[in-house]
Amino acid sequence: MKVYIAQMNVLPGNPDENFKNMKAVVARAKKAKADMVVFPKDAISGDPYKLGSKQNESEFQSKCMAAENGLEKLSKGIEILRGSSEAFDDCMYSHYVDGNMDGWEHDFEVYSGTQDFTTSKDAEVEEICKRFVSYEKKPVLYVAGVGTENSGKNIYAMDGCSRVFDKAGKVAFRMPQFKACEAMVEIANGKVKALWCDYAKAPKSAKPDAPIAQIHDALVYMIRANLEKFHIGRMVIGASGGIDSAVSAVLYAEAIGAKNVYLINMPTRFNSDTTKNAARDLAKNLGCPYMVAPISEMLNAVCDSLAKCDFVRSDKKIVVEGINYENLQARTRSASVLATIASVLGAGITCNGNKSEATTGYCTLYGDTCGVMCALGDLWKTQVYELARYINRKKVVIPKASIDIPASAELSDAMKVDEGKGDPIKYPYHDKLFAYWVDQNHGLADSEELLEKGTLCETIGADSKYFKKLFKTKAEALDDMRLWHRRFRGIALAKRIQFPPILCVSGSAFGSEYSESQG
């Protein structure tokens, strides 16, 4: 049987456009003399769980029903399948949209499952489909769409990677990732063969990339697609010379072109020549427009002005120092300088925060949390470094200094990178601990128990030698653990609720906590 696979770009909440695309696909499938055409799950509507109240609108429901009826009319001379949501042993069968299939028996099954990209999805699909093959004793066709979905707090990528498993459970044909495309395969006697379909020759089966490459591609894909949906063609990024802003700049430059990414370095007396030079070199390597905008005079003006002001009915004076001065720097950079430049340029601004910072609230509200989206918000800091090394795999794009210096906000003398001073988060250890809480859904009591048993590092995957350098006693480690967990479930939650939408790659991104307060 000749099966036409439509790995289409599904547009959430747009049944009219989706049906238009599906109609064109059916016409191409008929022209190719296919016996069947298969569409992804929710190809007409998009994922209903991410559409919010739109899925309940009568107009939207009517359009979906009209599209369903339209597909049925197109089924003359060809079978049409579209993914349904009927669960069976963790699998989703596709169903026919026409009424002409009574008594028809195929020697393969079609599976349509969760389409959102995660770093573990590939292995999960393989496991489920192989189990399905074993159960059905037939080849299995897995069909997924591409595109992006936005829940308001999270942005997801549908990555495609549709594939056909033969009767032995091996992948006989695989389609590309993050790319709308079509292919035709012949399935007969448990065997699978890719056929010519508008190509000079039959397409080759795509090979999966390394996980970090998939993360890179997913982020660029989501940035490009969503900025297009937002009608934003330019972005402004605060380029500090650090690793987060450097990686963000590269991703945005790849997504919308370097000429459309404006990098702004905003130094004070706390910023080292090392980081200032790294920011300059990054812009040169990428070919991005670059500006140095010192903010010390702005900070002084605010501090001096407030010091001259008096309260009525209080003798409290406003002296901006310490952590308050650090926060003023962060807010001046983002909410004032970057936002103003973006307004003049008709651009958006980025949030360069990562998952480690989001977990602990190590960020400034209305400062570095500002932005139209948060590209690195689902990546632990150690993953950001891994992504930087991947970006530099062929040539140096991100300056070596940005990778080698201690991670630091450079907001005080206590954060001088040239003296080896940096963030209070010790990422090689804390990232593992935070992931144990966030990604693996464990509580403080679980990690306390592991610490008491002496199995903490082994369980969470942390380096025991590094751990012993950080903490001289078990009591020190326990106090540190409780401090960060208190922030994780306290002030950090209040900050995360006000984060811009996070690009999701792990399946455990922040954004669904206390969702009733985020609507």
Side-chain angles (χ1 to χ4, degrees), residues 5 20 40 115 142 207 244 252 392 405 410 414 424 433 470 494:
I5 306 170
K20 179 181 177 181
Q115 301 182 69
Y142 164 77
K207 295 182 179 180
D244 294 321
Y252 280 91
N392 281 1
I405 59 172
E410 290 193 297
L433 178 63
L470 290 179

Side-chain angles (χ1 to χ4, degrees), residues 296-314:
S296 293
E297 291 184 6
M298 303 178 203
L299 300 172
N300 293 338
V302 172
C303 294
D304 293 345
S305 178
L306 290 176
K308 297 174 183 177
C309 298
D310 295 314
F311 281 108
V312 176
R313 290 178 293 279
S314 174

Side-chain angles (χ1 to χ4, degrees), residues 254-309:
E254 290 189 36
I256 62 174
K259 67 179 182 179
N260 297 312
V261 178
Y262 292 74
L263 302 185
I264 317 296
N265 183 250
M266 296 163 285
T268 67
R269 65 183 179 86
F270 302 122
N271 295 92
S272 67
D273 288 339
T274 301
T275 53
K276 287 186 286 187
N277 291 340
R280 177 202 62 204
D281 293 344
L282 171 71
K284 182 178 179 181
N285 292 345
L286 287 173
C288 293
Y290 179 66
M291 175 192 291
V292 177
I295 63 170
S296 293
E297 291 184 6
M298 303 178 203
L299 300 172
N300 293 338
V302 172
C303 294
D304 293 345
S305 178
L306 290 176
K308 297 174 183 177
C309 298

Side-chain angles (χ1 to χ4, degrees), residues 8-11 14-27 39 42-45 63-75 80 82 97:
M8 65 177 282
N9 185 9
V10 179
L11 304 174
N14 195 338
D16 289 344
E17 192 66 24
N18 287 332
F19 173 69
K20 179 181 177 181
N21 293 336
M22 296 170 80
K23 183 178 180 180
V25 169
V26 172
F39 292 102
D42 301 320
I44 290 175
S45 64
K63 288 183 176 181
C64 289
M65 184 59 68
E68 292 277 8
N69 294 335
L71 279 181
E72 187 170 348
K73 293 178 182 179
L74 294 175
S75 64
I80 301 176
R82 178 181 62 81
V97 296

Side-chain angles (χ1 to χ4, degrees), residues 441-461:
N441 298 307
H442 288 284
L444 175 62
D446 295 329
S447 54
E448 288 179 333
E449 183 179 353
L450 293 175
L451 179 63
E452 181 62 33
K453 289 181 178 178
T455 59
L456 177 66
C457 290
E458 177 184 354
T459 302
I460 68 176

Side-chain angles (χ1 to χ4, degrees), residues 207-510:
K207 295 182 179 180
D209 288 325
I212 193 63
Q214 293 186 32
I215 288 174
H216 167 273
D217 293 351
L219 294 176
V220 172
Y221 182 71
M222 285 186 277
I223 290 170
R224 180 184 295 121
N226 282 277
L227 288 184
E228 183 176 340
K229 290 179 181 179
F230 300 158
H231 304 291
I232 296 176
R234 297 172 178 172
M235 291 297 292
V236 172
I237 299 179
S240 67
I243 193 68
D244 294 321
S245 61
V247 170
S248 290
V250 172
L251 296 175
Y252 280 91
E254 290 189 36
I256 62 174
K259 67 179 182 179
N260 297 312
V261 178
Y262 292 74
L263 302 185
I264 317 296
N265 183 250
M266 296 163 285
T268 67
R269 65 183 179 86
F270 302 122
N271 295 92
S272 67
D273 288 339
T274 301
T275 53
K276 287 186 286 187
N277 291 340
R280 177 202 62 204
D281 293 344
L282 171 71
K284 182 178 179 181
N285 292 345
L286 287 173
C288 293
Y290 179 66
M291 175 192 291
V292 177
I295 63 170
S296 293
E297 291 184 6
M298 303 178 203
L299 300 172
N300 293 338
V302 172
C303 294
D304 293 345
S305 178
L306 290 176
K308 297 174 183 177
C309 298
D310 295 314
F311 281 108
V312 176
R313 290 178 293 279
S314 174
D315 59 0
K316 183 70 175 177
K317 293 292 185 180
I318 301 300
V319 179
V320 184
E321 58 188 8
I323 186 64
N324 300 306
Y325 188 70
E326 293 178 20
N327 287 334
L328 175 61
Q329 293 174 66
R331 293 191 179 106
T332 299
R333 284 171 174 151
S334 295
S336 293
V337 176
L338 294 182
T340 301
I341 293 173
S343 178
V344 172
L345 295 175
I349 63 174
T350 67
C351 172
N352 296 329
N354 57 62
K355 197 169 185 176
S356 308
E357 295 166 345
T359 299
T360 59
Y362 188 61
C363 51
T364 302
L365 273 179
Y366 322 120
D368 50 349
T369 60
C370 293
V372 297
M373 65 176 73
C374 185
L376 306 181
D378 199 19
L379 291 183
W380 300 108
K381 186 80 165 189
T382 45
Q383 288 181 295
V384 177
Y385 281 103
E386 184 183 2
L387 186 52
R389 290 188 288 270
Y390 172 77
I391 289 169
N392 281 1
R393 67 194 183 281
K394 294 181 180 179
K395 66 176 182 178
V396 175
V397 178
I398 296 175
K400 188 174 183 293
S402 297
I403 298 173
D404 292 344
I405 59 172
S408 175
E410 290 193 297
L411 297 174
S412 71
D413 287 327
M415 303 179 187
K416 290 185 176 180
V417 295
D418 289 338
E419 297 178 7
K421 300 174 182 178
D423 295 345
I425 307 173
K426 307 307 177 186
Y427 297 103
Y429 160 66
H430 283 125
D431 273 5
K432 300 293 185 181
L433 178 63
F434 300 159
Y436 183 70
W437 295 336
V438 178
D439 296 343
Q440 301 176 43
N441 298 307
H442 288 284
L444 175 62
D446 295 329
S447 54
E448 288 179 333
E449 183 179 353
L450 293 175
L451 179 63
E452 181 62 33
K453 289 181 178 178
T455 59
L456 177 66
C457 290
E458 177 184 354
T459 302
I460 68 176
D463 186 322
S464 59
K465 292 182 179 179
Y466 182 77
F467 177 83
K468 290 177 181 178
K469 289 182 180 179
L470 290 179
F471 308 109
K472 295 179 181 178
T473 66
K474 187 180 294 185
E476 285 185 9
L478 183 61
D479 287 344
D480 176 84
M481 184 183 292
R482 289 173 175 172
L483 167 67
W484 289 117
H485 195 273
R486 186 163 59 250
R487 288 186 62 92
F488 167 45
R489 290 303 187 190
I491 187 63
L493 173 59
K495 293 182 178 183
R496 289 194 295 270
I497 286 174
Q498 299 186 61
F499 257 55
I502 291 174
L503 306 190
C504 300
V505 295
S506 73
S508 60
F510 291 115

Side-chain angles (χ1 to χ4, degrees), residues 10 12-13 41-42 45-52 116 149 158:
V10 179
K41 177 175 175 283
D42 301 320
S45 64
D47 188 342
Y49 295 105
K50 299 189 182 76
L51 292 176
D116 295 341
E149 295 172 310
M158 296 177 285

